[in-house]
Amino acid sequence: MRVLLQRVAEASVTVDGEVIGATERGLLVLICAMQGDGPNEAERLAAKIAKLRIFQDENGRMNRSVLDIGGGALVVSQFTLAADTKRGNRPGFSSAAAPEEGEKLYEHFAQALTDQGIDVAKGRFGADMKVALINDGPVTIWMDTDA
């Protein structure tokens, strides 16, 4: 699974003019299931993200996790994280999981993050979403279960 993780002051996702998910201080998690991914990758990634120390402590050091600060997460599916730009000018997405499998893993990941104790809001898989955020820092981290 691939993730683009952003530390946010707030984030929201809108579909058809309606806000369907939002979080205040915490994380925006853009996620893509890749071919060959399964529930184990989703659970491992959720556990890692829950404990990742990227929030500032009282000394201004990145020493606290989203759990430590009582933050939330907005989880948004984004198959374009699978983009292959090696050839030509149009990215290919063939390494992304098939839509049915991708949706199952997206939902499994969101539940695994909830099971870690994080308040999770979600986008809508496969929808045309508008994502708004205030990036805090900015802090943006790329994660890949294959790396």
Side-chain angles (χ1 to χ4, degrees):
M1 297 187 90
R2 287 188 182 162
V3 166
L4 186 66
L5 187 66
Q6 296 182 296
R7 187 178 77 184
V8 297
E10 62 184 58
S12 64
V13 62
T14 302
V15 175
D16 296 328
E18 177 186 352
V19 174
I20 63 165
T23 190
E24 293 182 1
R25 186 173 182 217
L27 301 171
L28 171 60
V29 183
L30 303 172
I31 187 161
C32 177
M34 306 295 287
Q35 287 185 13
D37 285 341
N40 289 338
E41 285 82 8
E43 293 162 13
R44 197 171 69 238
L45 191 58
K48 178 78 172 179
I49 288 170
K51 297 176 185 104
L52 195 63
R53 298 184 311 174
I54 60 172
F55 292 88
Q56 292 181 344
D57 64 13
E58 58 279 354
N59 298 316
R61 296 180 50 122
M62 287 200 299
N63 209 20
R64 297 195 187 280
S65 70
V66 69
L67 285 170
D68 294 333
I69 66 156
L74 175 59
V75 179
V76 176
S77 63
Q78 188 169 359
F79 81 93
T80 59
L81 290 175
D84 179 355
T85 59
K86 291 177 186 156
R87 297 182 315 195
N89 294 318
R90 183 174 182 208
F93 304 103
S94 60
S95 61
E100 287 179 1
E101 187 62 22
E103 185 172 11
K104 286 180 195 173
L105 289 169
Y106 164 72
E107 294 293 343
H108 191 82
F109 170 81
Q111 184 59 53
L113 206 53
T114 299
D115 292 346
Q116 291 290 322
I118 297 171
D119 184 26
V120 172
K122 298 185 299 185
R124 184 174 301 145
F125 188 91
D128 181 18
M129 297 176 277
K130 308 297 183 216
V131 179
L133 71 139
I134 298 176
N135 196 320
D136 180 18
V139 174
T140 303
I141 297 173
W142 173 268
M143 298 174 76
D144 193 324
T145 55
D146 284 343

